[in-house]
Amino acid sequence: CCGTRGFRRGSAVLLWNTRLPPGFCCGTQGFHRAMVYFEQLKESQDAWEVCAEALAKGIYSDDHVKFFCFQVLEHQIKYRHGGLSPAQQQLIRETLMKWLQLQLMNSQPEKPFIRNKAAQVFALTFVMEYLTHWPKFFYDLLSLVGLNPHGVDVYLRTLMAIDAEVVDRDILHSPEEVRRNTLIKDSMREQVIPSLVESWYQILGTYQQSHPEITCQCLEVVGAYVSWIDLNLIANDRFVNLLLSQMSVEDLREEACECLFEIVNKGMDPTDKTKLVESLCQVLQSAGFFNVEEEEDVDFLAKFSRLVNGMGQSLVLSWTKLAKGGEVKDAAESLSAIEAKVPLLLQLLVHDDDDISANIVGFCYDYLNVLKQVRYDYLDVLKQAIMLAVMKKLTYDEEYNFDNEGEDEAMFVEYRKQLKMLLDRLAQVSPELLLEAVGRVFNNTVQRWQTASFMEVEVAIRLLYMLGEALPASHGAHFSGDTAKTSALQDMMRTLVSSGLSGYQHTSVSLEFFETVVRYDKFFLVEPQHIPNVLMAFLDHRGLRHSSPKVRSRVAYLFSRFVKTLQ
């Protein structure tokens, strides 16, 4: 059954059954032979025509055989297209269009993996032939599929596959491919992009209620293409209003958020960008999207937070450009727009869900840079609000698994690193306020450490530790120079080592205590009377004899560093 005649008769249905049901006729060896045979088919000079015929006529019903036929065709196009005769190239084009026509008549669509593979083959053919033999590629597709949902699905998947082949910057291309892709994009901009945009508008309007999955696909396409097409085709009242209306449809709003994010991220004139962002914000606010405390869908809020982050960062970039260019009036409007987003920024930053909070960190970081350059009467209030938000979000939650750290724990560690960047930026903007705020939290917590939760105690010590990197000091000399700073740090360190806090029964607190002691080892040169107590903590059940192997291991390393400092 492994010969070419067997393939033509349909016995390949058995050979290409990768699920291997019980009693599979050929056994493992037979299956291996089948795989070898199909690889030979790929390399054959003319076997691809058999596969093309099978696809064009819908000969096989087995999904794996259909998938393999597309693979053979893909191999031919990718590696041998240049050696095909004009008639053979025409056969490939006809095969694809006939297969697509069959999809329009089928009551059920093909499996997603087959549609994706078909889209890849369409895209490869497009890349090879659009500039030469198939300039009407998109017109042929659109005229055939119309608004048939099965056809539209393949059309949208093909557009995403074309984006991956031609535009995606994550894929490495040779210099020749880069030149070819540039020519393709230039030609598309001149000839077909307006028609494609119109087709997207029609699809979004037609399938919003009946086929939300197709609408989401189309939103993904718009988001992908908006980075390199004329933004005016998308950023107009007609199109944006349609996108905004889909923000209110539960099945569509996450993808609509992503699409709007890509539009906002598009490079454009800073004054125009400010106007675009403000028009979007006005509609979103009037529709109630800024009332984030009333929204229960955290997945949507994570997308919305990312959108707000994009809008905020775009406004900051516009303000920076306008201010540098001396355009005072427009810069003032951009700054006013930024200020209006700060309450929403703070709401998202302190949200209980860390994904929602993490997605707004970029805007917060950029806004702190703005605060370095402007003067408000209420500036200190804004800084303190951001400081409190960062301090709150640095705190572990009760579900954190210290004994078996998995993906969730790793994500929180990364999130903490983002928050540390905000703390560092706060230190640049207003070091005195940060020192005061950390001192207040630290002292209030340490005074009641016996009754405080481990999360409160750990974050209080962590904040003291972070000050060491946030506040500049030459060679770790935090206890000489600026009297206000050294006095505050010295007071906190004295409180830390004399409070008995080293005996707190939680691994996170134990580790943070010793990390902080070693971070500020220069403190013990100023107040050496605390060395004996700290050495005892290192050597007894609080440190090297701790019940946790993780604590013992880390303390051993920290102890060696501490001793070197004292020598």
Side-chain angles (χ1 to χ4, degrees), residues 356-390:
I356 294 167
S357 177
N359 283 348
I360 200 71
V361 166
F363 176 26
C364 189
Y365 187 85
D366 290 351
Y367 178 61
L368 288 171
N369 191 48
V370 173
L371 293 185
K372 285 178 64 178
Q373 305 171 59
V374 299
R375 292 289 178 268
Y376 305 134
D377 293 337
Y378 52 92
L379 195 58
D380 286 353
V381 176
L382 284 173
K383 294 173 186 174
Q384 287 174 347
I386 294 173
M387 285 179 198
L388 291 173
V390 172

Side-chain angles (χ1 to χ4, degrees), residues 523-564:
F523 164 77
F524 298 97
L525 301 178
V526 181
E527 298 193 21
Q529 66 271 25
H530 299 292
I531 292 174
N533 287 336
V534 171
L535 284 176
M536 284 300 297
F538 267 112
L539 296 171
D540 64 19
H541 66 279
R542 293 169 288 178
L544 291 172
R545 297 183 182 181
H546 198 282
S547 58
S548 165
K550 181 179 178 181
V551 174
R552 293 198 301 270
S553 173
R554 183 64 180 168
V555 168
Y557 165 73
L558 292 172
F559 182 60
S560 67
R561 283 183 55 189
F562 187 67
V563 170
K564 285 179 183 177

Side-chain angles (χ1 to χ4, degrees), residues 96-378:
L96 293 176
M97 297 305 286
K98 286 177 181 177
W99 176 86
L100 183 56
Q101 196 161 20
L102 286 176
Q103 307 316 301
L104 308 184
M105 297 182 287
N106 289 344
S107 58
Q108 294 295 322
E110 296 282 12
K111 297 282 175 44
F113 75 92
I114 295 176
R115 284 178 274 160
N116 286 336
K117 179 55 68 177
Q120 290 174 356
V121 176
F122 268 100
L124 272 177
T125 308
F126 165 83
V127 167
M128 296 292 184
E129 302 201 346
Y130 177 65
L131 295 173
T132 53
H133 306 303
W134 205 355
K136 293 188 175 181
F137 175 88
F138 290 109
Y139 293 110
D140 289 348
L141 251 66
L142 287 169
S143 60
L144 177 61
V145 304
L147 286 174
N148 179 288
H150 295 172
V152 168
D153 177 274
V154 174
Y155 163 64
L156 295 173
R157 289 173 193 267
T158 299
L159 286 172
M160 290 305 297
I162 289 172
D163 177 77
E165 289 287 337
V166 176
V167 183
D168 194 333
R169 292 181 177 85
D170 293 331
I171 298 175
L172 292 176
H173 293 290
S174 67
E176 182 57 39
E177 288 172 335
V178 170
R179 284 192 292 272
R180 178 203 65 194
N181 292 346
T182 301
L183 289 173
I184 288 174
K185 287 190 289 185
D186 289 344
S187 178
M188 287 179 66
R189 288 188 192 102
E190 291 176 12
Q191 298 175 19
V192 300
I193 288 298
S195 297
L196 296 187
V197 172
E198 181 59 30
S199 75
W200 303 337
Y201 183 83
Q202 296 300 327
I203 291 167
L204 291 173
T206 301
Y207 293 115
Q208 180 169 312
Q209 301 297 331
S210 60
H211 293 78
E213 71 286 353
I214 289 180
T215 309
C216 284
Q217 276 182 262
C218 192
L219 288 168
E220 186 182 3
V221 167
V222 176
Y225 278 69
V226 77
S227 66
W228 61 274
I229 67 174
D230 180 3
L231 187 61
N232 292 321
L233 295 169
I234 303 293
N236 52 61
D237 290 344
R238 175 176 179 250
F239 212 108
V240 169
N241 287 337
L242 179 60
L243 294 176
L244 288 168
S245 72
Q246 292 171 342
M247 287 282 288
S248 301
V249 181
E250 188 170 350
D251 290 337
L252 308 178
R253 58 185 189 162
E254 287 185 34
E255 200 62 56
C257 255
E258 286 290 296
C259 186
L260 288 170
F261 172 81
E262 295 298 337
I263 292 172
V264 166
N265 256 19
K266 169 84 170 181
M268 60 189 296
D269 174 80
T271 302
D272 291 341
K273 175 62 72 70
T274 300
K275 291 176 181 175
L276 171 64
V277 170
E278 282 301 87
S279 65
L280 289 176
C281 285
Q282 286 170 11
V283 176
L284 291 171
Q285 188 167 13
S286 63
F289 287 104
F290 282 21
N291 302 324
V292 295
E293 68 280 354
E294 298 175 10
E295 178 57 60
E296 297 179 356
D297 185 349
V298 292
D299 291 333
F300 168 69
L301 266 186
K303 298 284 187 183
F304 180 68
S305 183
R306 185 167 181 260
L307 172 59
V308 174
N309 187 71
M311 292 192 293
Q313 289 189 300
S314 294
L315 289 173
V316 172
L317 183 60
S318 294
W319 173 77
T320 304
K321 290 179 178 178
L322 293 167
K324 284 182 179 178
E327 300 178 53
V328 179
K329 182 176 178 293
D330 289 341
E333 289 180 0
S334 291
L335 186 57
S336 177
I338 295 168
E339 293 167 3
K341 311 298 176 293
V342 174
L344 179 59
L345 159 66
L346 291 171
Q347 285 186 73
L348 293 168
L349 186 63
V350 299
H351 197 280
D352 289 340
D353 187 276
D354 291 341
D355 288 337
I356 294 167
S357 177
N359 283 348
I360 200 71
V361 166
F363 176 26
C364 189
Y365 187 85
D366 290 351
Y367 178 61
L368 288 171
N369 191 48
V370 173
L371 293 185
K372 285 178 64 178
Q373 305 171 59
V374 299
R375 292 289 178 268
Y376 305 134
D377 293 337
Y378 52 92

